[in-house]
Amino acid sequence: MIRRTLMSAAAALAATLALAGCGQPAEKADPDAPLKELTFSILSAENQTSMEPLWTPLLTDMSEAIGVKVKPYFATNYTSLVEAMRFKQVQVGWFSASPALQAIRRSDGEVLGRVVDAGGEATYKSVIIVRKGSGLTVDKILTCDRSLSFGLGDTQSTSGTLAPMTYLFTPRGIDPNRCFKSVRSASHQANAFSVANGVVDVATNNSVGMLFFARQSPELAAKVETIWESPPLPESSIVVRRDLDPALKEKIRQFFLTYGTGADAKAEKQREVLKGLAYGGFRPADNSYLDPVREMEASEALAAAKRSGDKARIDKAQAEFDKISAEAARSRAVAPVTTP
């Protein structure tokens, strides 16, 4: 089992309640009264200082479009995002794939749209990075001679943990704890800085994170190189609480799906906002958009079962993997074709 720094339940709840410091909406006395304020959660994978000016214009436009004030909640880890939505402190948010799936399972969330990047792609990639000139290659790090330090992402991160485990380490029967001299979990930005500055030898990141790193710290980014890429992963998505008023939910959906799509000056300004986020816009999506993540999780569970040697556990995990893979295949077969 990979050593990971997890928040305790009490800490997670405390982090959620810390929304008060970000302007937490008061509980309504009348549950049928119109909602006057929404809280939108954002993962500060880099830091709030750098993320807030990028998101504020979009949330201002959203407030105007839906007729309800929208304020941000910046969290530094995925657990806080999921718990905030679970306890109804957040009604809508930007989630990467794995925590979006957790929000669906635990926080009564549903996907209403997905992000596409500036080139119109709805996917991104997990990457392994090293310091340029180190001579480190994928073959070298997989020798597992315990001479290298390794940085993973958040435990709930698709690109920082799940994808490299599913596509790189698990198929080779490698436990990072037994492969490297040390393993630590950190944000994408912290991992990039650590590799650039020689604090860790190898780390996970993703293609979007590296884009932001190059834009914000070009001199440090020039010291880092990518030695491995995963298959394409589902880009981040917009998740709302399922119990949100249907009319308001539809306004939110239409806001994202039409954002930056017009030909007037307003749309051009919106496209500048998207450019700051390295986005090309948003496209329709539902919960089936996250099927590739469910497949990765099932694959990891099956691998763990096989390592245990327990036949009953293996059979159960295999059946679950086959079921999820079949469901995902059906979803892909009927998915509508959308154009940017």
Short mmCIF file of all heavy atoms in Angstrom, two decimals, residues 177-218:
data_model
loop_
_atom_site.label_atom_id
_atom_site.label_comp_id
_atom_site.label_asym_id
_atom_site.label_seq_id
_atom_site.Cartn_x
_atom_site.Cartn_y
_atom_site.Cartn_z
N ASN A 177 6.37 2.22 -3.01
CA ASN A 177 7.04 2.23 -1.71
C ASN A 177 8.24 1.30 -1.68
O ASN A 177 9.20 1.53 -0.93
CB ASN A 177 6.07 1.82 -0.60
CG ASN A 177 5.34 3.03 -0.02
OD1 ASN A 177 5.81 4.15 -0.14
ND2 ASN A 177 4.19 2.79 0.56
N ARG A 178 8.18 0.23 -2.45
CA ARG A 178 9.29 -0.71 -2.49
C ARG A 178 10.27 -0.40 -3.63
O ARG A 178 11.32 -1.00 -3.72
CB ARG A 178 8.76 -2.14 -2.65
CG ARG A 178 7.86 -2.59 -1.50
CD ARG A 178 7.32 -3.99 -1.75
NE ARG A 178 6.43 -4.40 -0.68
CZ ARG A 178 6.84 -4.97 0.46
NH1 ARG A 178 8.12 -5.18 0.65
NH2 ARG A 178 5.97 -5.32 1.38
N CYS A 179 9.86 0.54 -4.48
CA CYS A 179 10.66 0.87 -5.66
C CYS A 179 11.60 2.05 -5.40
O CYS A 179 12.75 2.06 -5.87
CB CYS A 179 9.73 1.19 -6.82
SG CYS A 179 10.53 1.48 -8.41
N PHE A 180 11.10 3.05 -4.65
CA PHE A 180 11.86 4.27 -4.42
C PHE A 180 12.33 4.37 -2.97
O PHE A 180 11.75 3.76 -2.07
CB PHE A 180 11.00 5.48 -4.78
CG PHE A 180 10.54 5.48 -6.21
CD1 PHE A 180 9.26 5.06 -6.54
CD2 PHE A 180 11.39 5.90 -7.23
CE1 PHE A 180 8.83 5.05 -7.86
CE2 PHE A 180 10.97 5.89 -8.55
CZ PHE A 180 9.69 5.46 -8.87
N LYS A 181 13.34 5.18 -2.76
CA LYS A 181 13.85 5.34 -1.39
C LYS A 181 12.88 6.14 -0.53
O LYS A 181 12.85 6.00 0.70
CB LYS A 181 15.23 5.99 -1.38
CG LYS A 181 15.28 7.44 -1.81
CD LYS A 181 16.70 7.99 -1.73
CE LYS A 181 16.76 9.44 -2.19
NZ LYS A 181 18.16 9.95 -2.15
N SER A 182 12.09 6.99 -1.17
CA SER A 182 11.05 7.74 -0.45
C SER A 182 9.93 8.08 -1.40
O SER A 182 10.15 8.27 -2.61
CB SER A 182 11.63 9.03 0.17
OG SER A 182 12.07 9.91 -0.83
N VAL A 183 8.70 8.14 -0.87
CA VAL A 183 7.52 8.50 -1.65
C VAL A 183 6.73 9.52 -0.86
O VAL A 183 6.46 9.31 0.33
CB VAL A 183 6.63 7.27 -1.94
CG1 VAL A 183 5.38 7.68 -2.71
CG2 VAL A 183 7.40 6.21 -2.70
N ARG A 184 6.36 10.59 -1.50
CA ARG A 184 5.55 11.60 -0.81
C ARG A 184 4.43 12.06 -1.74
O ARG A 184 4.55 11.98 -2.96
CB ARG A 184 6.40 12.80 -0.40
CG ARG A 184 6.82 13.69 -1.56
CD ARG A 184 7.53 14.94 -1.08
NE ARG A 184 7.61 15.94 -2.13
CZ ARG A 184 8.14 17.15 -1.97
NH1 ARG A 184 8.67 17.47 -0.81
NH2 ARG A 184 8.16 18.01 -2.97
N SER A 185 3.33 12.53 -1.16
CA SER A 185 2.21 13.05 -1.93
C SER A 185 2.20 14.57 -1.84
O SER A 185 2.37 15.12 -0.76
CB SER A 185 0.89 12.49 -1.40
OG SER A 185 0.79 11.11 -1.64
N ALA A 186 1.98 15.23 -2.96
CA ALA A 186 1.96 16.69 -2.98
C ALA A 186 1.13 17.15 -4.17
O ALA A 186 0.71 16.35 -5.01
CB ALA A 186 3.38 17.25 -3.06
N SER A 187 0.89 18.45 -4.24
CA SER A 187 0.14 19.01 -5.37
C SER A 187 0.98 18.95 -6.63
O SER A 187 2.20 18.76 -6.60
CB SER A 187 -0.23 20.46 -5.08
OG SER A 187 0.93 21.29 -5.10
N HIS A 188 0.32 19.15 -7.78
CA HIS A 188 1.04 19.16 -9.05
C HIS A 188 2.10 20.25 -9.06
O HIS A 188 3.23 20.04 -9.51
CB HIS A 188 0.07 19.38 -10.21
CG HIS A 188 -0.93 18.28 -10.38
ND1 HIS A 188 -0.56 16.95 -10.40
CD2 HIS A 188 -2.28 18.30 -10.53
CE1 HIS A 188 -1.66 16.21 -10.56
NE2 HIS A 188 -2.69 17.00 -10.63
N GLN A 189 1.74 21.44 -8.57
CA GLN A 189 2.69 22.54 -8.57
C GLN A 189 3.89 22.23 -7.68
O GLN A 189 5.04 22.47 -8.05
CB GLN A 189 2.03 23.84 -8.11
CG GLN A 189 2.97 25.05 -8.23
CD GLN A 189 2.40 26.28 -7.56
OE1 GLN A 189 1.97 26.22 -6.41
NE2 GLN A 189 2.41 27.40 -8.26
N ALA A 190 3.61 21.69 -6.48
CA ALA A 190 4.70 21.36 -5.56
C ALA A 190 5.63 20.32 -6.17
O ALA A 190 6.86 20.40 -6.03
CB ALA A 190 4.13 20.85 -4.24
N ASN A 191 5.06 19.33 -6.86
CA ASN A 191 5.88 18.32 -7.52
C ASN A 191 6.76 18.92 -8.61
O ASN A 191 7.93 18.57 -8.75
CB ASN A 191 5.00 17.21 -8.11
CG ASN A 191 4.60 16.18 -7.08
OD1 ASN A 191 5.25 16.04 -6.04
ND2 ASN A 191 3.53 15.46 -7.35
N ALA A 192 6.19 19.83 -9.38
CA ALA A 192 6.97 20.46 -10.46
C ALA A 192 8.12 21.27 -9.88
O ALA A 192 9.26 21.19 -10.36
CB ALA A 192 6.06 21.35 -11.31
N PHE A 193 7.84 22.06 -8.86
CA PHE A 193 8.90 22.84 -8.22
C PHE A 193 9.96 21.94 -7.60
O PHE A 193 11.17 22.23 -7.68
CB PHE A 193 8.30 23.75 -7.14
CG PHE A 193 7.83 25.08 -7.64
CD1 PHE A 193 6.48 25.31 -7.86
CD2 PHE A 193 8.73 26.09 -7.92
CE1 PHE A 193 6.04 26.54 -8.32
CE2 PHE A 193 8.30 27.32 -8.39
CZ PHE A 193 6.95 27.55 -8.59
N SER A 194 9.52 20.84 -6.99
CA SER A 194 10.46 19.94 -6.33
C SER A 194 11.42 19.28 -7.33
O SER A 194 12.61 19.14 -7.05
CB SER A 194 9.70 18.87 -5.55
OG SER A 194 8.98 19.45 -4.48
N VAL A 195 10.89 18.90 -8.48
CA VAL A 195 11.75 18.30 -9.50
C VAL A 195 12.70 19.36 -10.06
O VAL A 195 13.90 19.12 -10.22
CB VAL A 195 10.91 17.66 -10.62
CG1 VAL A 195 11.80 17.27 -11.80
CG2 VAL A 195 10.18 16.43 -10.09
N ALA A 196 12.17 20.53 -10.37
CA ALA A 196 13.00 21.59 -10.95
C ALA A 196 14.14 21.99 -10.02
O ALA A 196 15.25 22.29 -10.47
CB ALA A 196 12.14 22.80 -11.28
N ASN A 197 13.86 21.97 -8.72
CA ASN A 197 14.86 22.39 -7.74
C ASN A 197 15.68 21.24 -7.17
O ASN A 197 16.50 21.44 -6.26
CB ASN A 197 14.18 23.14 -6.59
CG ASN A 197 13.64 24.50 -7.03
OD1 ASN A 197 14.32 25.25 -7.71
ND2 ASN A 197 12.41 24.80 -6.63
N GLY A 198 15.46 20.03 -7.69
CA GLY A 198 16.24 18.89 -7.24
C GLY A 198 15.87 18.34 -5.88
O GLY A 198 16.62 17.58 -5.28
N VAL A 199 14.67 18.70 -5.39
CA VAL A 199 14.22 18.20 -4.08
C VAL A 199 13.78 16.74 -4.20
O VAL A 199 14.02 15.95 -3.29
CB VAL A 199 13.07 19.08 -3.53
CG1 VAL A 199 12.55 18.51 -2.22
CG2 VAL A 199 13.57 20.51 -3.35
N VAL A 200 13.11 16.39 -5.29
CA VAL A 200 12.79 14.99 -5.58
C VAL A 200 13.31 14.67 -6.98
O VAL A 200 13.45 15.57 -7.82
CB VAL A 200 11.28 14.68 -5.49
CG1 VAL A 200 10.75 14.90 -4.09
CG2 VAL A 200 10.49 15.49 -6.51
N ASP A 201 13.59 13.40 -7.21
CA ASP A 201 14.16 12.99 -8.49
C ASP A 201 13.11 12.80 -9.57
O ASP A 201 13.34 13.13 -10.74
CB ASP A 201 14.93 11.67 -8.32
CG ASP A 201 16.06 11.80 -7.32
OD1 ASP A 201 16.93 12.67 -7.52
OD2 ASP A 201 16.08 11.03 -6.33
N VAL A 202 11.97 12.25 -9.19
CA VAL A 202 10.92 11.87 -10.13
C VAL A 202 9.57 12.25 -9.53
O VAL A 202 9.39 12.15 -8.32
CB VAL A 202 10.92 10.35 -10.41
CG1 VAL A 202 9.96 10.00 -11.53
CG2 VAL A 202 12.30 9.83 -10.69
N ALA A 203 8.62 12.68 -10.36
CA ALA A 203 7.30 13.02 -9.82
C ALA A 203 6.24 12.88 -10.90
O ALA A 203 6.53 12.90 -12.10
CB ALA A 203 7.29 14.44 -9.25
N THR A 204 5.01 12.75 -10.45
CA THR A 204 3.87 12.75 -11.37
C THR A 204 3.38 14.17 -11.56
O THR A 204 3.62 15.05 -10.74
CB THR A 204 2.71 11.90 -10.83
OG1 THR A 204 2.22 12.48 -9.61
CG2 THR A 204 3.15 10.47 -10.57
N ASN A 205 2.69 14.39 -12.66
CA ASN A 205 2.07 15.68 -12.95
C ASN A 205 1.06 15.41 -14.06
O ASN A 205 0.68 14.27 -14.28
CB ASN A 205 3.12 16.71 -13.36
CG ASN A 205 2.74 18.11 -12.87
OD1 ASN A 205 1.80 18.72 -13.37
ND2 ASN A 205 3.47 18.61 -11.89
N ASN A 206 0.64 16.46 -14.76
CA ASN A 206 -0.20 16.23 -15.93
C ASN A 206 0.08 17.30 -16.97
O ASN A 206 0.75 18.30 -16.70
CB ASN A 206 -1.69 16.16 -15.56
CG ASN A 206 -2.23 17.46 -15.02
OD1 ASN A 206 -2.08 18.52 -15.61
ND2 ASN A 206 -2.90 17.39 -13.87
N SER A 207 -0.42 17.08 -18.17
CA SER A 207 -0.10 17.95 -19.29
C SER A 207 -0.62 19.37 -19.06
O SER A 207 0.03 20.34 -19.46
CB SER A 207 -0.68 17.37 -20.58
OG SER A 207 -2.06 17.08 -20.45
N VAL A 208 -1.77 19.51 -18.39
CA VAL A 208 -2.30 20.84 -18.11
C VAL A 208 -1.47 21.53 -17.04
O VAL A 208 -1.14 22.71 -17.15
CB VAL A 208 -3.78 20.76 -17.68
CG1 VAL A 208 -4.31 22.15 -17.31
CG2 VAL A 208 -4.63 20.16 -18.79
N GLY A 209 -1.12 20.80 -16.00
CA GLY A 209 -0.30 21.36 -14.93
C GLY A 209 1.04 21.85 -15.44
O GLY A 209 1.53 22.91 -15.01
N MET A 210 1.62 21.11 -16.38
CA MET A 210 2.91 21.52 -16.93
C MET A 210 2.76 22.77 -17.80
O MET A 210 3.67 23.60 -17.88
CB MET A 210 3.52 20.38 -17.73
CG MET A 210 3.87 19.15 -16.89
SD MET A 210 4.86 19.55 -15.42
CE MET A 210 6.38 20.14 -16.18
N LEU A 211 1.60 22.92 -18.43
CA LEU A 211 1.34 24.12 -19.22
C LEU A 211 1.31 25.35 -18.31
O LEU A 211 1.92 26.38 -18.61
CB LEU A 211 0.02 23.97 -19.98
CG LEU A 211 -0.46 25.19 -20.78
CD1 LEU A 211 0.52 25.50 -21.90
CD2 LEU A 211 -1.86 24.95 -21.34
N PHE A 212 0.60 25.24 -17.19
CA PHE A 212 0.54 26.35 -16.24
C PHE A 212 1.92 26.62 -15.64
O PHE A 212 2.30 27.77 -15.43
CB PHE A 212 -0.46 26.04 -15.13
CG PHE A 212 -1.88 26.41 -15.47
CD1 PHE A 212 -2.77 25.46 -15.91
CD2 PHE A 212 -2.32 27.72 -15.34
CE1 PHE A 212 -4.08 25.80 -16.23
CE2 PHE A 212 -3.62 28.08 -15.65
CZ PHE A 212 -4.50 27.11 -16.10
N PHE A 213 2.67 25.56 -15.36
CA PHE A 213 4.00 25.71 -14.77
C PHE A 213 4.91 26.49 -15.73
O PHE A 213 5.65 27.40 -15.32
CB PHE A 213 4.58 24.34 -14.47
CG PHE A 213 5.88 24.37 -13.71
CD1 PHE A 213 6.03 25.12 -12.57
CD2 PHE A 213 6.96 23.60 -14.16
CE1 PHE A 213 7.24 25.13 -11.86
CE2 PHE A 213 8.16 23.60 -13.46
CZ PHE A 213 8.30 24.37 -12.31
N ALA A 214 4.85 26.16 -17.00
CA ALA A 214 5.67 26.84 -18.01
C ALA A 214 5.26 28.31 -18.15
O ALA A 214 6.10 29.18 -18.39
CB ALA A 214 5.56 26.13 -19.35
N ARG A 215 3.96 28.57 -18.00
CA ARG A 215 3.47 29.93 -18.14
C ARG A 215 3.83 30.79 -16.93
O ARG A 215 4.18 31.96 -17.08
CB ARG A 215 1.95 29.91 -18.34
CG ARG A 215 1.37 31.26 -18.72
CD ARG A 215 -0.04 31.12 -19.25
NE ARG A 215 -1.00 30.73 -18.22
CZ ARG A 215 -2.29 30.48 -18.46
NH1 ARG A 215 -2.74 30.54 -19.70
NH2 ARG A 215 -3.10 30.15 -17.48
N GLN A 216 3.79 30.20 -15.74
CA GLN A 216 4.02 30.96 -14.52
C GLN A 216 5.48 30.98 -14.07
O GLN A 216 5.92 31.93 -13.44
CB GLN A 216 3.13 30.40 -13.40
CG GLN A 216 1.64 30.57 -13.68
CD GLN A 216 0.76 29.81 -12.70
OE1 GLN A 216 1.26 29.09 -11.83
NE2 GLN A 216 -0.55 29.96 -12.83
N SER A 217 6.21 29.91 -14.38
CA SER A 217 7.62 29.82 -13.94
C SER A 217 8.47 29.28 -15.09
O SER A 217 9.01 28.16 -15.01
CB SER A 217 7.73 28.91 -12.70
OG SER A 217 6.89 29.33 -11.67
N PRO A 218 8.61 30.04 -16.17
CA PRO A 218 9.30 29.53 -17.36
C PRO A 218 10.74 29.09 -17.10
O PRO A 218 11.20 28.11 -17.71
CB PRO A 218 9.22 30.69 -18.34
CG PRO A 218 8.93 31.90 -17.51
CD PRO A 218 8.12 31.41 -16.37
#
